[in-house]
Amino acid sequence: MTGFTWLDIAAVDDIPLRGARKIKTAMGCVALFRTGPEEAFAATDRCPHKGGPLSEGIVHGQSVTCPLHNWVFDLNTGQAQGADAGSIAVHPVRVEGGRVLIDAAALLRPPAA
Amino acid sequence: MTQKLVIIGAGMASGRVIDHLTDTAPDAFDITLVNAEPRGNYNRIMLSPVLSGEKTYDDIVTHDDAFYAKHGIATRFGTAVTAIERAGKTVTVGADTLSYDKLLIATGSAPFIIPVPGRDLPGVVTYRDLDDTNAMIAAADQGGKAVVIGGGLLGLEAAAGLAERGMDVTVLHLMGHLMERQLDPAAGYLLRRDLEARGITVRTQAVTKAIIGNGRAEAVLLEDGTTLPADLVVMAVGIRPETRLATDAGLEVGRGIVVNAQMETSDPDIMAVGECVECAGQLFGLVAPLYDQAKVVAAGLTGTPAVFLPKDTATKLKVTGCDLFSAGDFADGPGREDIVFRDPGRGIYKRLVIEDDRLVGAVMYGDTADGNWFFGLIKDGTDIEPMREALIFGPAAQGGAAADPLSAVAALPPEAEICGCNGVCKGTIVSAIDGGATDLGAVRAATKASASCGTCTGLVEQLLQVTLGDGFVKPTAQPICGCTHLTHEDVRRLIKTTPLKSQEAVWQDLGWTTRNGCHVCRPAINFYLLADWPLEYRDDPQSRFVNERKHANIQKDGTFSVVPRMWGGITTPQELRAIADAADKYAVPTVKVTGGQRIDLLGVKGEDLPAIWADLNRAGLVSGHAYSKGLRTVKTCVGTDHCRFGTQDSTGLGIRLEKALWGSWTPHKVKLAVSGCPRNCAEATCKDVGIVCVDSGYQVGVAGAAGMDVKETERLADVATEQEAIDLTVAFIQLYRENAKYLDRPYKWVAKVGLDWVKARVVDDLTERQRLIDAFALSQSIYQKDPWAELAADPARFAPLADLTLEAAE
């Protein structure tokens, strides 16, 4: 597959299990979620509702709950769940050999470039 | 012409190669079998039954002396090969040199020894061969304590065997749950529970620091300072391919000895087989692929080259009596979905992992009967969409009509048992319903059905529904959240009585329908567990709302507020200077005096938190817990020190109460106040606990409110001494911690249980009062510590994990 720019970010153990850490990018902060021992997701660290930092939310199943007003997002699709409408941008992530890699193609340069 | 074949290593793989050769080409090779162990091929997998005493060595021998003699195989047992000389095609065995035409390396694997001090002491053994097994049996005959380092398959087999032989066994495992390569946390929890039921102690996240002892192993020291006495230490942390000979001989070696699909090493006259090889980047530890390799080796040696293809393997494991199955890739991953089935009563857990309508992985515990069917679906990549609804129930459930729980209950015969705890059958319940018991409570009262563990509550409700039809309205008791049908009260009771001491235990035994809860139930369960099992359960920060995880209040713009504790609202010029300096240094936009007599620094950036805490810590200030479901503040007036009306030292009592209660976690926030006289300047009569001093002593009021509801406190008791006032307060808070629903303030909880119920325990029953005080003290011995000091020591946790803006410049 082309178009992926896999960037080794950190050891998966640097992210607490069922927790998150954020990374700074030119496109704004991105939250890395660790939903299982070997499972991670990445998404914009900003709730579309009131801008809550999603990396501070409670991580459950493959979802995160925004800490400000409890919007819940499916990390596979970025879609808000339940009655709330909205979505967050998600980014491909791989966990390999205890390392977390993110597809940085969309993070290193503006989309228009 | 007969070729000379030298085989190094008499394990399971080489044994199988010999079988193939003696079957298909008995005269093609002149075979010499060399083994460092002083014995021939035996079934290494069966060492565990030997350890546990179910089998003897003789039972597990696969090739004996008669076999070797019959097939003309020369054996060199008890001497290791020390070198391979490829140019001259010889190997060195002891003082002898053997020449070969073809060489087969089957050196297997070596146990991994963790590099800690004391690893070489007598009394430290590994678990790899018969000698190790015999050493363990000899040690077990002396009795005493064994510590097994490693909670993988091998370590657990060792632990089970040693326990069977009467030793007091502790298993140490580095990871969060047992057998993490084969099992997910839920299955790992069930395995742990089964092992603990056999008297084996399991410690996860246990990091071994050293093995200590004078002349022989006496104890294992952990990173956290714990010392575990040990007469025997078994190291079973893992294995690595035994590649030293191949490396010395200059063969290509990666993680294992690199072979092609014909099992040839980088030297075409040297083949390798078994756990020592690396093929297509993979290593092999299970016996099935080893046997496939052996077939390929034999084929290659006899001139009919074959190809070894690594295949998916399912692991069906039996840790002596614990049924486990795992297959495929059950690690979580984006785009993957789970189907989870739990049967708490029978200790069953099943999880299927689905990706693109294909089953990619399965983990099962307790009931593994359908394992091979699932494994078949994984291997064949079957489209499971059409059978998805009932997939987890296995092949038996396929093809039938969709199950309707109500018709299933209706179809049960009258003698079918509904409540296992109390032995109540369907007929009994139906006659009780016909006799006028038309709700759950009435059925419980009449028959005891669902009155114990409560797991059959749903069934009883369905019976009510079937029997009464539309006349039955489901009770309004709300489940905690969508993850469970149980109420807070049910879960609290079950955590105490079952007992359940971990989140995995709650999810499994109470039949949670999600993998690991949600933002509603996780904080509640976390609190219940730490309140009920302060010693056994460890607080899980990932199950807390952001404020309690960050120990600061998140603001609407994502910044935080910082509130240092001011005991009883008393401060000093030095503290005020430190606060002012911090406000300057971190450019705090807003400084506010709070209603609880504290100073609030609002608008602090998340990454600055550790630094500002460290600065405030240096001035003697600690966290004010203004963010916690815990003790917030004790508000006071100046009392007898300065006020002409003061009757008692209200400030002093406030400070003593705050010193006693700070740091404790409670179902919701708790605010106190102490007023020095009935003029009540500290507004004590609308607090969770409010004390008003009078000439004759102290009026202790509880269950006030001044938030969404406004309510005056109710008088718990009037007492004469300050110590009694403190005792009553502490006992009341502990009773609240033990019984209230998460997120009920004390006034809501007291309204449910009644003030008389509280008085009976806190005021009248002195034994119970003391028990509550002691239980609180025990909890405080663990939780009363300044989180700022702890977190400030690890500022990296608050910084971004990486900064990609720097990469953007390229």
Side-chain angles (χ1 to χ4, degrees):
Chain A
M1 239 190 295
T2 56
F4 285 86
T5 307
W6 292 109
L7 209 58
D8 185 335
I9 298 295
V12 68
D13 286 338
D14 288 339
I15 310 173
L17 183 59
R18 299 194 283 275
R21 295 283 298 271
K22 67 177 178 186
I23 56 177
K24 284 189 170 174
T25 81
M27 305 290 112
C29 283
V30 167
L32 270 177
F33 302 93
R34 186 175 177 202
T35 48
E38 298 280 318
E39 179 183 78
F41 292 91
T44 316
D45 188 24
R46 196 182 149 78
C47 179
H49 174 220
K50 298 278 185 185
L54 297 173
S55 58
E56 307 289 1
I58 288 181
V59 177
H60 50 98
Q62 295 181 330
S63 306
V64 63
T65 300
C66 177
L68 291 193
H69 305 95
N70 289 336
W71 280 37
V72 179
F73 296 91
D74 181 337
L75 295 171
N76 287 290
T77 62
Q79 288 298 319
Q81 304 294 292
D84 300 315
S87 71
I88 49 174
V90 293
H91 304 282
V93 171
R94 293 194 313 195
V95 179
E96 270 180 19
R99 306 289 301 178
V100 184
L101 294 85
I102 188 169
D103 174 25
L107 303 175
L108 295 180
R109 56 182 183 273
Chain B
M1 153 189 155
T2 313
Q3 285 195 304
K4 276 184 261 181
L5 170 66
V6 173
I7 302 175
I8 307 172
M12 305 193 66
S14 78
R16 191 48 75 97
V17 173
I18 291 170
D19 288 343
H20 286 305
L21 290 178
T22 51
D23 281 353
T24 59
D27 303 318
F29 289 97
D30 185 359
I31 302 175
T32 304
L33 177 61
V34 188
N35 197 19
E37 275 188 74
R39 57 188 71 85
N41 302 78
Y42 61 93
N43 187 347
R44 213 170 281 270
I45 298 180
M46 301 305 281
L47 282 173
S48 293
V50 172
L51 176 61
S52 64
E54 294 158 50
K55 285 192 190 306
T56 66
Y57 170 65
D58 290 338
D59 295 333
I60 68 169
V61 169
T62 55
H63 300 69
D64 56 14
D65 290 345
F67 175 90
Y68 299 127
K70 179 179 165 202
H71 294 282
I73 297 169
T75 57
R76 304 288 294 250
F77 295 153
T79 323
V81 171
T82 48
I84 299 169
E85 213 280 297
R86 288 164 54 199
K89 296 179 86 169
T90 62
V91 296
T92 309
V93 184
D96 299 338
T97 303
L98 306 178
S99 64
Y100 67 82
D101 296 307
K102 292 282 183 187
L103 180 65
L104 177 62
I105 304 177
T107 42
S109 56
F112 185 74
I113 309 287
I114 49 174
V116 293
R119 63 184 180 276
D120 299 324
L121 285 171
V124 180
V125 300
T126 57
Y127 187 20
R128 196 66 207 133
D129 58 27
L130 185 70
D131 293 337
D132 296 333
T133 310
N134 286 335
M136 279 192 267
I137 293 172
D141 286 344
Q142 311 291 314
K145 291 175 189 298
V147 172
V148 178
I149 305 175
L153 180 62
L154 217 50
L156 297 181
E157 289 285 5
L162 291 170
E164 192 75 19
R165 286 186 178 268
M167 289 192 92
D168 178 2
V169 182
T170 300
V171 175
L172 305 178
H173 193 51
L174 195 57
M175 309 303 286
H177 68 270
L178 295 172
M179 294 183 66
E180 79 286 348
R181 301 273 298 276
Q182 291 88 6
L183 301 179
D184 63 4
Y189 154 72
L190 284 173
L191 174 60
R192 176 184 185 142
R193 202 182 58 173
D194 279 356
L195 293 172
E196 285 174 343
R198 287 165 212 208
I200 295 170
T201 307
V202 178
R203 296 179 76 116
T204 49
Q205 288 172 320
V207 185
T208 305
K209 193 175 181 185
I211 298 164
I212 45 188
N214 192 3
R216 64 171 289 117
E218 289 166 8
V220 175
L221 175 67
L222 302 184
E223 270 313 332
D224 67 5
T226 312
T227 306
L228 302 167
D231 303 295
L232 174 70
V233 178
V234 182
M235 251 198 225
V237 289
I239 53 173
R240 52 177 176 75
E242 178 54 85
T243 58
R244 283 174 297 181
L245 269 180
T247 306
D248 292 349
L251 296 173
E252 189 186 341
V253 172
R255 286 184 297 158
I257 304 169
V258 176
V259 294
N260 60 19
Q262 281 74 45
M263 306 308 293
E264 292 166 349
T265 67
S266 53
D267 179 334
D269 288 324
I270 303 180
M271 304 176 92
V273 68
E275 287 185 321
C276 62
V277 308
E278 176 182 337
C279 183
Q282 288 188 42
L283 301 179
F284 305 89
L286 297 172
V287 75
L290 264 54
Y291 284 167
D292 286 348
Q293 291 176 3
K295 209 180 289 177
V296 173
V297 168
L301 286 171
T302 52
T304 50
V307 171
F308 171 65
L309 286 175
K311 291 192 282 236
D312 259 349
T313 27
T315 338
K316 187 160 185 176
L317 305 166
K318 237 174 152 64
V319 179
T320 31
C322 309
D323 248 342
L324 318 169
F325 178 91
S326 76
D329 180 2
F330 58 87
D332 317 309
R336 290 191 172 173
E337 298 163 85
D338 295 323
I339 299 178
V340 176
F341 171 80
R342 292 176 156 118
D343 183 342
R346 294 189 292 148
I348 288 171
Y349 168 79
K350 300 182 187 186
R351 176 165 155 239
L352 303 178
V353 183
I354 291 164
E355 189 172 23
D356 297 333
D357 292 334
R358 303 279 188 280
L359 187 63
V360 295
V363 190
M364 280 180 267
Y365 191 95
D367 172 10
T368 56
D370 296 334
N372 288 330
W373 187 70
F374 289 124
F375 185 44
L377 295 180
I378 294 172
K379 276 197 300 192
D380 302 341
T382 311
D383 181 358
I384 52 88
E385 184 57 27
M387 50 183 161
R388 187 178 168 129
E389 286 285 297
L391 183 66
I392 198 143
F393 301 110
Q398 304 309 314
D404 167 16
L406 274 188
S407 58
V409 169
L412 287 175
E415 62 275 13
E417 187 175 77
I418 301 291
C419 174
C421 297
N422 296 298
V424 187
C425 62
K426 178 183 166 185
T428 314
I429 296 170
V430 171
S431 26
I433 296 169
D434 290 340
T438 55
D439 62 35
L440 188 62
V443 172
R444 274 184 190 156
T447 67
K448 280 194 181 300
S450 82
S452 293
C453 83
T455 46
C456 63
T457 304
L459 274 178
V460 175
E461 284 176 351
Q462 285 164 6
L463 272 180
L464 281 159
Q465 219 167 330
V466 167
T467 314
L468 297 174
D470 292 341
F472 174 68
V473 182
K474 266 214 160 186
T476 49
Q478 288 294 312
I480 294 180
C481 61
C483 302
T484 176
H485 66 277
L486 296 168
T487 63
H488 282 273
E489 290 74 13
D490 286 339
V491 171
R492 275 223 89 160
R493 182 172 47 77
L494 291 166
I495 284 174
K496 284 188 181 69
T497 55
T498 308
L500 305 171
K501 300 185 181 181
S502 69
Q503 295 204 58
E504 280 79 13
V506 171
W507 300 331
Q508 171 62 31
D509 286 2
L510 304 185
W512 243 239
T513 55
T514 50
R515 200 203 291 178
N516 48 35
C518 69
H519 67 272
V520 177
C521 61
R522 280 253 297 283
I525 304 302
N526 184 55
F527 168 74
Y528 294 152
L529 286 165
L530 74 85
D532 288 331
W533 306 109
L535 297 181
E536 293 91 338
Y537 179 75
R538 203 172 296 177
D539 179 45
D540 173 27
Q542 304 313 325
S543 295
R544 290 192 170 278
F545 291 121
V546 53
N547 293 350
E548 296 184 326
R549 190 170 349 109
K550 286 276 193 182
H551 293 277
N553 274 330
I554 194 165
Q555 306 296 311
K556 68 174 192 180
D557 60 356
T559 62
F560 292 86
S561 78
V562 170
V563 182
R565 193 166 283 286
M566 288 177 175
W567 308 97
I570 294 287
T571 185
T572 63
Q574 182 248 346
E575 285 182 350
L576 290 172
R577 272 189 206 100
I579 292 169
D581 287 345
D584 271 345
K585 182 171 169 185
Y586 299 98
V588 172
T590 306
V591 182
K592 164 114 181 45
V593 175
T594 73
Q597 304 182 334
R598 306 296 140 103
I599 293 177
D600 193 350
L601 306 172
L602 294 124
V604 179
K605 288 192 271 304
E607 50 263 46
D608 283 343
L609 288 172
I612 193 169
W613 294 338
D615 287 358
L616 294 169
N617 269 172
R618 266 192 291 281
L621 290 155
V622 298
S623 167
H625 291 90
Y627 46 79
S628 77
K629 316 275 183 263
L631 175 78
R632 294 286 179 89
T633 54
V634 181
K635 193 172 172 178
T636 67
C637 68
V638 292
T640 43
D641 277 355
H642 300 279
C643 177
R644 62 201 164 101
F645 298 115
T647 60
Q648 311 282 354
D649 177 16
S650 54
T651 322
L653 174 55
I655 291 172
R656 280 185 278 281
L657 281 170
E658 191 157 350
K659 296 258 180 190
L661 298 172
W662 76 277
S664 61
W665 298 104
T666 44
H668 207 312
K669 58 188 172 183
V670 170
K671 295 180 176 180
L672 273 67
V674 184
S675 284
C677 78
R679 286 167 193 79
N680 192 15
C681 292
E683 297 160 343
T685 48
C686 61
K687 294 291 185 270
D688 298 298
V689 179
I691 297 176
V692 177
C693 303
V694 290
D695 254 348
S696 57
Y698 305 82
Q699 299 172 341
V700 182
V702 296
M708 287 203 276
D709 296 305
V710 180
K711 177 177 169 291
E712 193 182 346
T713 51
E714 298 171 60
R715 189 73 56 82
L716 183 66
D718 291 351
V719 293
T721 67
E722 189 177 275
Q723 188 57 48
E724 280 175 285
I726 294 173
D727 283 355
L728 286 189
T729 304
V730 169
F732 174 79
I733 296 294
Q734 179 63 15
L735 193 68
Y736 168 59
R737 296 178 78 238
E738 289 180 6
N739 292 282
K741 171 183 154 191
Y742 189 67
L743 298 186
D744 265 0
R745 288 286 289 267
Y747 77 96
K748 287 201 171 167
W749 165 66
V750 172
K752 286 178 184 170
V753 298
L755 186 65
D756 288 341
W757 185 88
V758 175
K759 276 184 179 170
R761 281 152 186 81
V762 172
V763 184
D764 304 335
D765 183 341
L766 295 181
T767 315
E768 175 66 359
R769 186 199 296 180
Q770 193 56 47
R771 185 197 68 75
L772 289 165
I773 292 168
D774 292 344
F776 187 75
L778 178 73
S779 173
Q780 288 294 75
S781 71
I782 289 151
Y783 285 104
Q784 191 173 56
K785 53 192 174 197
D786 178 24
W788 286 1
E790 290 196 331
L791 293 170
D794 187 15
R797 278 172 50 174
F798 290 79
L801 193 54
D803 189 346
L804 302 190
T805 55
L806 306 171
E807 319 254 347
E810 34 174 63

